[in-house]
Amino acid sequence: LRSVARFDSLVCEALSKGAVRLTSGESEDVLAPVSVIDRVTPERRLFQEESFGPVAAALCASNEEESIRLAND
């Protein structure tokens, strides 16, 4: 249950700071929904930390160099 709560915390923090959920669903007991979150920024915990949950965080880069830098963070 702590893993699902942590997962929810990461997703909720990103959403509260401007990210957008592209899929819907609510966690049930020990199951977290598959989530695709757009507009995640590098400052968000969802970008920085391993979620150990079914989530894809999407973000935009202005060019190829920034894409590589973000991928290596």
Side-chain angles (χ1 to χ4, degrees), residues 1 4 8 26-33:
L1 289 174
V4 173
D8 286 342
E26 296 292 324
S27 296
E28 294 182 24
D29 297 322
V30 297
L31 301 175

Side-chain angles (χ1 to χ4, degrees), residues 6 8 18 29 39 44 46 54-55 57-59 61 63-64 66-67:
R6 183 175 181 285
D8 286 342
D29 297 322
R39 300 185 192 158
R44 303 287 65 86
L46 185 60
V55 64
L59 59 146
N63 56 43
E64 183 179 358
E66 184 182 20
S67 297

Side-chain angles (χ1 to χ4, degrees), residues 29-46:
D29 297 322
V30 297
L31 301 175
V34 173
S35 299
V36 179
I37 311 297
D38 192 16
R39 300 185 192 158
V40 175
T41 60
E43 296 80 23
R44 303 287 65 86
R45 289 175 49 223
L46 185 60

